[in-house]
Amino acid sequence: MISRTGRPAPVYLQQLPLLLPVSAWVSGLALARSDVIALYPAAIILALLFLLLLALRYRVSALLLLLAALWGTGDLLLDAGKVAADDSWLAAPTACSARIQSIQRTPSFTRLLLYDVRRSDGARLAGNALLYIYPKESGDHQSLLRAGDTIAFHARWHLPHNRHNPGAFDYSAWCFDHHIALLGSERGHLQRLARGSSVLQQGRERIERAITGLPDEPAAILRALLLGDQTQLSVSVRSAFAATGTAHLLAISGMHVGMTAAWAMALLWWLLTRREAWIVQLPVRGLAMFGGLLAAMSYALIAGWPLPAVRSTMMLAAAVLAWFLSERNAPMNILLAALALILLVDPTAITSLSLWLSFSATAALLLWAVQSRADHALQAAGRRQRLITAITTLAWVSLVATLATLPITLATFGRLPVYSIPANLLLVPIYALLVMPAALLAELTALFNLPTLAGGFMQIAGMAAEAGLHLLQRMTHLPAGNLWAVHPPLWLGGLYLAGMLFAGRQALHKRKLQAALSALLVIGLYSSAVLHESSIDAPEWVVWDVGQGAASTLLLPDKRVVVIDVPGRTGSRFNGGTSVASGLRFLGFTHVDLLILSHTQSDHLGGALSLLHSVNSTGEIWLPDVPAAHKDARVLAIVDAARAQGTPVRWLAKGDTRRLETDTAGKKSATRFNILWPPRGFAPSNENNTSLVVSVTVAGETELLWPGDIEASSERELFKAGLSPVHAMLMPHHGSRTSSSPGFIGALAPELAVAQVAAHNRYRFPAADVLARYRAIGTQVASTANGAIIVRWHGSHPYTLQPEKRETSRRMLARYWWQRLHAK
């Protein structure tokens, strides 16, 4: 291959002529659709790359770069049209009909993904919608619903909304990419108009019946593997897989698609080689590979065609095609072409973790397969040598995959998977040789309506899955087996990748010792960086955006972390506990010194268990010493979890005082916590009044007040006992009219009062007259309805109020421009 300049092209471009064009296509899409680089810098980079390619006379690649950027931008606008919903959908509860695309059931709610959503007046939603059904509102009829059903219902709709916390998951972006225009909750009775009865749905129901009867944990794992339903996976199961770096085994990904294809290929190869005539007359290898591909596609179809499975199947098809054409074309060229095709059909995949993991895995396996084909010594080796080679190869593949994906895995799951390599060496063979083949046989026999046989195979798969789970759970109890890390910045991942590429280059040049030392050095430096917690010079108070609930955190010098309240709904996977833990990791903290739970309501302590399991350690837990707390089932569960972790629990009441010592640069100071309420053994009719009211003094200067949900009667008692002014406080009971009485806030005279409320909450908190009372005494008022609030003090200087910053994303801009174009 000769470049346009007349000079020979680099060797890698001669061998991989598609590398540069596909790289240009990928770069153009990434700059157009990804928010990793802000819009204006991305535009400058795009222009510079375009000019550079033109200067080097790679005109085709320059054109593809530009076309990809235009296609990515155009696709954003098309997606913006699919998620458009005018204000008429956001009025009072609306009568609608829709078809169910998929169903997710959890202990606390059922979630329906709907399409073809129509209002009673005939208006049709362009995109999809998510409808939440709560048992108390709908009884048990939702358990009878199936995918494909047509339903009629009343719903109150709202637009997808993000929780704006440091490092928060971009839920609005996820909805945008999945064409989800509205979210809603059912109001009134839901009616099924027509039953969906497709052959595919009947097959899925047979598979579900075969799974029923297994213990909960293995049943949930098999539902995830065969039906793509992860909603039944418990927190403990998810935690075991995430902590050991084996979470990829719970998702229908390239590994499972590849396992399905491999077993089908092996079975077809065995059948087609039973007769010598077939070996001579038939293209045995080609038929086996084609059959394996069909089996993988069928597996993905039955699982509901999740996007990772679709992309993995396309990658597998590219690998099969590359094998057939390897005599005339470099196999990687075919794989690169498949990557470009996937991104052409689905530009949103440019930011998909599963796509890049599938591409990397397929490329590695393809290169290894081509190399093994040329290894005649291996072909001639005996069974024992082949077994040793297979085990060695598995170890190397696990090692390379773990090291290559470490920054992505850590950023996704928040853990440093110390035992990832041994865990994968144990679990991958169990899944490849026992779980998947038995589960696939159970699936096949269930589809042919052989329930007894299907149940037997499913039992085998379940026992193997349970054995694998027990192995992982034992690993999490080893030293550093469940190690949380701070959120790694992008530049740190780039340095890690550069270091690993350098080590890989040394390995390719047969410098094995140098390669090993380089890799160990990179891993050591990276691990030290993500395990190192931040340190601050002055106190910071973070009031989190957790919806209609309460959660705030006081960060102190000497890496001290105090959390007050964490809300959550029973059975919820994501709640205030996970939000606070994720935010703390983003800010550079992986532990909690003190967790204060003001009272027994779920909007204040429902996420406590999640927080305890999402940090490396918790120093102490404080609870109100009142009868309501001592007998509450949720509190008792928290106490049991704390005891299991060796965390002391203290029951506090009015008059108790505690100190938290800090030492910054040799300067010692103490933070004092005074418990102002409730009296010990207090048992009012309204449990809001049992809330711990905590006054906090930092270094003798900064004072905070955390009043929980106390109401006017308790406020009067506190006012009578005497109150001192404070710098900042939370509004009692989220700014309700039942609290913030004039005498109470007048005595406190806060400079800042924060209302912890959800955007557009049904209680209309904070109340307008309450806001007026605070403003009348000169208090600055803030609300978490628009995002987390961060307050910083600088010695005796006034605090600075810093709302959590929100960048303008590509999707938000696409919505804006689509609305402008549509308006015209």
Side-chain angles (χ1 to χ4, degrees):
M1 177 179 176
I2 305 298
S3 71
R4 298 288 183 140
T5 61
R7 295 190 300 269
V11 173
Y12 64 89
L13 291 182
Q14 293 179 11
Q15 297 174 344
L16 301 174
L18 289 182
L19 179 61
L20 188 58
V22 172
S23 298
W25 180 260
V26 169
S27 300
L29 277 180
L31 290 170
R33 285 205 63 117
S34 171
D35 290 318
V36 173
I37 301 176
L39 181 62
Y40 292 117
I44 294 171
I45 293 172
L46 178 68
L48 292 175
L49 286 176
F50 180 73
L51 293 175
L52 177 63
L53 289 171
L54 285 181
L56 296 174
R57 299 190 180 182
Y58 292 116
R59 296 189 180 91
V60 173
S61 297
L63 180 61
L64 286 173
L65 176 74
L66 189 59
L67 289 175
L70 293 173
W71 173 227
T73 303
D75 186 68
L76 273 173
L77 291 173
L78 291 174
D79 286 348
K82 292 177 182 176
V83 298
D86 58 53
D87 292 342
S88 63
W89 288 90
L90 310 178
T94 307
C96 301
S97 65
R99 295 192 67 183
I100 302 175
Q101 182 169 321
S102 64
I103 303 176
Q104 291 185 329
R105 292 183 172 90
T106 72
S108 55
F109 61 82
T110 297
R111 189 177 78 171
L112 308 180
L113 176 59
L114 305 177
Y115 68 100
D116 192 21
V117 183
R118 300 174 185 270
R119 283 204 313 251
S120 56
D121 60 4
R124 183 175 181 274
L125 190 67
N128 301 329
L130 286 177
L131 180 69
Y132 288 81
I133 305 174
Y134 297 96
K136 66 179 181 180
E137 297 172 0
S138 303
D140 295 328
H141 71 273
Q142 72 268 21
S143 62
L144 304 176
L145 297 176
R146 296 291 183 269
D149 290 353
T150 301
I151 58 174
F153 55 93
H154 282 74
R156 181 182 294 276
W157 299 108
H158 63 88
L159 298 174
H161 175 70
N162 277 342
R163 298 285 170 81
H164 297 289
N165 294 308
F169 174 69
D170 195 341
Y171 183 66
S172 294
W174 182 87
C175 289
F176 186 98
D177 291 341
H178 288 78
H179 302 156
I180 295 171
L182 293 173
L183 279 70
S185 55
E186 182 200 9
R187 294 288 189 268
H189 182 66
L190 183 148
Q191 179 184 4
R192 183 167 60 195
L193 301 179
R195 180 66 186 268
S197 57
S198 66
V199 174
L200 178 61
Q201 182 58 33
Q202 292 175 9
R204 287 173 60 89
E205 290 175 2
R206 290 175 182 173
I207 297 168
E208 174 63 40
R209 285 195 292 271
I211 295 174
T212 303
L214 294 177
D216 290 343
E217 290 181 339
I221 292 173
L222 292 176
R223 284 191 187 94
L225 296 181
L226 296 179
L227 301 175
D229 179 11
Q230 295 193 10
T231 57
Q232 304 301 313
L233 293 169
S234 66
V235 173
S236 61
V237 171
R238 293 179 185 274
S239 179
F241 279 85
T244 54
T246 54
H248 58 93
L249 291 173
L250 288 177
I252 298 177
S253 61
M255 177 170 289
H256 301 92
V257 170
M259 287 179 182
T260 304
W263 275 106
M265 288 166 59
L267 179 61
L268 285 172
W269 179 278
W270 183 83
L271 289 173
L272 292 173
T273 55
R274 292 309 88 199
R275 292 188 179 182
E276 186 175 349
W278 291 352
I279 298 174
V280 175
Q281 297 174 6
L282 298 175
V284 174
R285 178 179 296 174
L287 289 174
M289 285 191 170
F290 185 70
L293 179 60
L294 286 181
M297 293 177 66
S298 301
Y299 166 71
L301 178 64
I302 294 170
W305 275 115
L307 283 177
V310 174
R311 296 163 185 161
S312 300
T313 304
M314 293 182 71
M315 287 293 178
L316 179 65
V320 172
L321 181 61
W323 182 275
F324 281 116
L325 300 179
S326 60
E327 297 298 331
R328 290 166 290 165
N329 299 276
M332 279 299 299
N333 284 320
I334 307 297
L335 198 59
L336 288 168
L339 175 64
L341 179 61
I342 290 173
L343 293 176
L344 175 65
V345 175
D346 180 18
T348 61
I350 192 68
T351 57
S352 168
L353 171 64
S354 63
L355 171 68
W356 296 110
L357 289 178
S358 296
F359 177 78
S360 302
T362 305
L365 292 174
L366 187 59
L367 292 173
W368 175 80
V370 172
Q371 179 64 31
S372 66
R373 172 189 286 181
D375 193 344
H376 300 292
L378 180 61
Q379 298 293 333
R383 290 184 178 180
R384 181 179 179 183
Q385 184 60 40
R386 289 186 181 184
L387 178 61
I388 294 173
T389 302
I391 295 174
T392 304
T393 300
L394 177 61
W396 276 109
V397 168
S398 297
L399 175 62
V400 172
T402 299
L403 296 182
T405 60
L406 179 60
I408 301 175
T409 302
L410 194 146
T412 303
F413 299 106
R415 291 173 169 95
L416 188 64
V418 175
Y419 299 104
S420 176
I421 295 172
N424 277 281
L425 286 175
L426 290 171
L427 262 290
V428 170
I430 290 176
Y431 273 71
L433 301 177
L434 291 174
V435 176
M436 283 302 294
L440 291 172
L441 286 172
E443 183 175 74
L444 186 63
T445 51
L447 293 175
F448 281 100
N449 202 18
L450 300 171
T452 303
L453 202 54
F457 284 126
M458 203 68 78
Q459 288 288 339
I460 296 172
M463 287 188 292
E466 191 169 26
L469 175 61
H470 289 163
L471 281 174
L472 295 184
Q473 289 174 334
R474 286 179 179 273
M475 286 187 176
T476 61
H477 289 94
L478 296 173
N482 190 16
L483 196 59
W484 292 93
V486 301
H487 185 79
L490 187 61
W491 62 265
L492 184 61
L495 290 178
Y496 175 89
L497 178 61
M500 282 300 169
L501 288 175
F502 176 74
R505 185 174 182 275
Q506 289 179 314
L508 288 175
H509 287 81
K510 309 299 183 182
R511 302 170 188 158
K512 295 183 179 180
L513 179 59
Q514 295 92 323
L517 291 175
S518 298
L520 287 174
L521 178 62
V522 172
I523 294 169
L525 292 175
Y526 184 81
S527 299
S528 298
V530 297
L531 293 177
H532 179 73
E533 291 191 304
S534 299
S535 183
I536 57 176
D537 298 327
E540 296 183 10
W541 182 37
V542 183
V543 190
W544 305 97
D545 177 5
V546 289
Q548 194 55 41
S552 63
T553 298
L554 178 62
L555 302 175
L556 298 167
D558 200 18
K559 301 178 182 179
R560 297 289 189 173
V561 180
V562 180
V563 175
I564 173 73
D565 286 338
V566 274
R569 185 188 296 270
T570 302
S572 61
R573 178 185 170 196
F574 300 106
N575 52 41
T578 55
S579 295
V580 170
S582 176
L584 286 175
R585 288 195 297 275
F586 188 83
L587 294 175
F589 299 94
T590 58
H591 81 285
V592 172
D593 291 287
L594 176 59
L595 172 60
I596 305 174
L597 301 174
S598 63
H599 62 296
T600 60
Q601 293 181 347
S602 60
D603 64 333
H604 287 254
L605 59 66
L609 285 176
S610 296
L611 178 65
L612 291 177
H613 295 139
S614 301
V615 293
N616 286 329
S617 64
T618 304
E620 284 187 7
I621 298 177
W622 293 357
L623 289 161
D625 193 3
V626 295
H630 282 285
K631 65 183 180 181
D632 187 86
R634 289 165 299 193
V635 172
L636 295 178
I638 294 167
V639 171
D640 289 342
R643 286 174 179 166
Q645 294 182 356
T647 301
V649 176
R650 302 191 186 279
W651 300 86
L652 302 181
K654 179 180 178 181
D656 288 335
T657 301
R658 289 288 184 273
R659 291 168 63 88
L660 191 63
E661 304 291 338
T662 59
D663 185 352
T664 306
K667 183 180 179 181
K668 294 184 178 181
S669 60
T671 300
R672 189 175 73 251
F673 299 87
N674 295 320
I675 310 301
L676 306 182
W677 191 262
R680 201 173 303 277
F682 189 49
S685 58
N686 187 341
E687 287 188 7
N688 283 340
N689 286 314
T690 65
S691 298
L692 281 175
V693 178
V694 185
S695 173
V696 187
T697 302
V698 182
E701 298 176 352
T702 301
E703 291 200 13
L704 288 169
L705 185 75
W706 296 324
D709 277 352
I710 60 167
E711 299 191 353
S713 59
S714 295
E715 290 179 350
R716 282 194 295 271
E717 295 299 321
L718 288 168
F719 176 70
K720 291 177 183 177
L723 292 168
S724 301
V726 298
H727 288 98
M729 64 178 288
L730 288 174
M731 293 185 188
H733 200 187
H734 315 279
S736 165
R737 287 189 177 90
T738 62
S739 308
S740 297
S741 52
F744 178 71
I745 65 173
L748 293 170
E751 298 177 41
L752 170 69
V754 180
Q756 277 214 282
V757 295
H760 313 295
N761 66 86
R762 60 179 177 174
Y763 306 104
R764 301 182 184 276
F765 291 164
D769 51 345
V770 170
L771 294 178
R773 289 177 207 159
Y774 282 101
R775 288 172 177 148
I777 60 174
T779 299
Q780 182 180 0
V781 171
S783 168
T784 58
N786 297 318
I789 304 296
I790 301 178
V791 182
R792 292 187 172 93
W793 283 268
H794 304 283
S796 58
H797 297 284
Y799 61 81
T800 57
L801 179 66
Q802 178 188 335
E804 171 61 19
K805 294 180 180 178
R806 291 177 290 169
E807 301 293 338
T808 302
S809 70
R810 308 285 202 280
R811 297 169 183 84
M812 291 176 62
L813 290 172
R815 283 177 183 269
Y816 171 77
W817 284 108
W818 188 90
Q819 291 170 354
R820 290 285 300 272
L821 293 171
H822 187 69
K824 294 180 180 179

